[in-house]
Amino acid sequence: ELGCGRGEYTIGLARLHKDRNFIGIDIKGARMWKASTEAIHESLENVALLRTNADFLLNHFGENEISELWITFPDPRPKEKQELRRLTSPKYLDFYRQIMPKGSFINFKTDNTDLFQYTLDVIASQNLNVEAMTWDVYNSEHEALVYGIKTTYERIFTPIVKTIKFVRYQI
């Protein structure tokens, strides 16, 4: 889970899939404290947390080391000059291609319409295969793909925004 914050997906997926390892990555250690506390309390041995900037992913992971990626509610970076810092930008897709096998899935979930449209445009421009896409995941046939796991931001913004966008695509 890239930009894991409090690690809701990291912990939630680890609970569901005890036979797989999950790594939560975030730059802010204070956010990850909750995830680490839960993982220790529940004796989840398939959870690790890494405090680093997404720009340094290649320093921590080797070729084909990551089999699937979750990006949930990242900072939308709305200003045009911040495009290169968006976790769904072509810059980061190039990073992901270096650490994920071809055909691996990226799961992206957001409440931000502009960031979602930007991500769909990037996916189209890179000719990537979309397995599932919806502008309202909780009122779609793709709801099961998000495992019912909700981040803190999602719980905060769902009553305000009403719809959560989701896309699952292959690199």
Side-chain angles (χ1 to χ4, degrees), residues 83 86 88-90 113-122:
E83 177 182 356
R86 295 176 191 152
T88 58
S89 72
T113 300
D114 291 337
L115 180 59
F116 192 67
Q117 184 59 60
Y118 168 83
T119 301
L120 294 178
D121 292 344
V122 169

Side-chain angles (χ1 to χ4, degrees), residues 92-124:
Y92 286 106
L93 280 175
D94 288 341
F95 288 175
Y96 308 151
R97 284 185 179 102
Q98 294 180 58
I99 60 175
M100 298 174 75
K102 185 176 181 179
S104 295
F105 286 101
I106 296 175
N107 302 281
F108 176 62
K109 194 174 172 190
T110 185
D111 63 312
N112 188 287
T113 300
D114 291 337
L115 180 59
F116 192 67
Q117 184 59 60
Y118 168 83
T119 301
L120 294 178
D121 292 344
V122 169
I123 291 168

Side-chain angles (χ1 to χ4, degrees), residues 132-144:
M133 189 279 293
T134 177
W135 291 86
D136 187 359
V137 72
Y138 294 113
N139 289 302
S140 77
E141 68 275 16
H142 304 304
E143 182 176 5

Side-chain angles (χ1 to χ4, degrees), residues 4 9 14 38-40 53 73 81 83 100 118 127-128 136:
C4 72
Y9 264 87
E38 283 187 47
I40 291 167
N53 187 299
F73 294 84
K81 66 181 180 179
E83 177 182 356
M100 298 174 75
Y118 168 83
N127 296 313
L128 301 175
D136 187 359

Side-chain angles (χ1 to χ4, degrees), residues 61-81:
F61 299 100
E63 184 178 343
N64 300 331
E65 195 167 1
I66 303 297
S67 61
E68 187 170 353
L69 182 65
W70 282 86
I71 304 170
T72 56
F73 294 84
D75 185 333
R77 310 275 182 203
K79 296 179 183 171
E80 195 171 314
K81 66 181 180 179

